[in-house]
Amino acid sequence: MENEMNGDIFVVKAHDNGVQVIGMTRGQDTRFHHTEKLGKGEVLIAQFTEHTSAVKIRGKATVITKHGVIEADS
Ligand code: TRP
C-alpha cells in the first residue's frame, strides 16, 4: 500500500465483553501483530494500513465495512 492513509476504514461494535479484533501483518509473513479487546458496547474505528492486511474478529460483534454490515458471532 503506497499511502497507508488510503486504507479502507472499518468499524467494529462489540456486543459482548472480550471481543477481539486481531490485526494480521501485510507481506510474505502473515501473522497476528496486535489484539485489541473490546468491552460490551465499545466501538473501534480502524483502518487497513501498510502493516495490516487482514483482520480477524472473535466474538459477538457488528462489523461495518464499505462492502456491507456483517454480524460476527464466534
Ligand atoms: N499499528 C497498526 C497499523 O498501523 C495499528 C492498526 C491499524 C491495527 N489497523 C489495525 C491493529 C487493525 C489491529 C487491527 O497497522
Side-chain angles (χ1 to χ4, degrees):
M1 194 178 302
E2 249 171 41
N3 177 355
E4 69 183 66
M5 295 310 290
N6 286 334
D8 283 355
I9 292 172
F10 60 94
V11 177
V12 182
K13 179 170 179 149
H15 298 303
D16 270 340
N17 284 320
V19 168
Q20 294 180 26
V21 181
I22 303 163
M24 301 175 77
T25 54
R26 186 175 298 283
Q28 195 69 16
D29 180 24
T30 307
R31 58 181 168 74
F32 293 2
H33 68 73
H34 182 90
T35 300
E36 191 65 32
K37 283 196 181 166
L38 304 182
K40 188 172 181 172
E42 265 190 324
V43 172
L44 178 73
I45 302 169
Q47 192 174 26
F48 289 97
T49 69
E50 182 187 356
H51 305 292
T52 306
S53 65
V55 171
K56 182 166 173 169
I57 313 285
R58 284 190 181 143
K60 196 169 163 55
T62 302
V63 184
I64 304 168
T65 74
K66 73 177 183 187
H67 304 286
V69 178
I70 303 118
E71 298 302 329
D73 191 2
S74 50

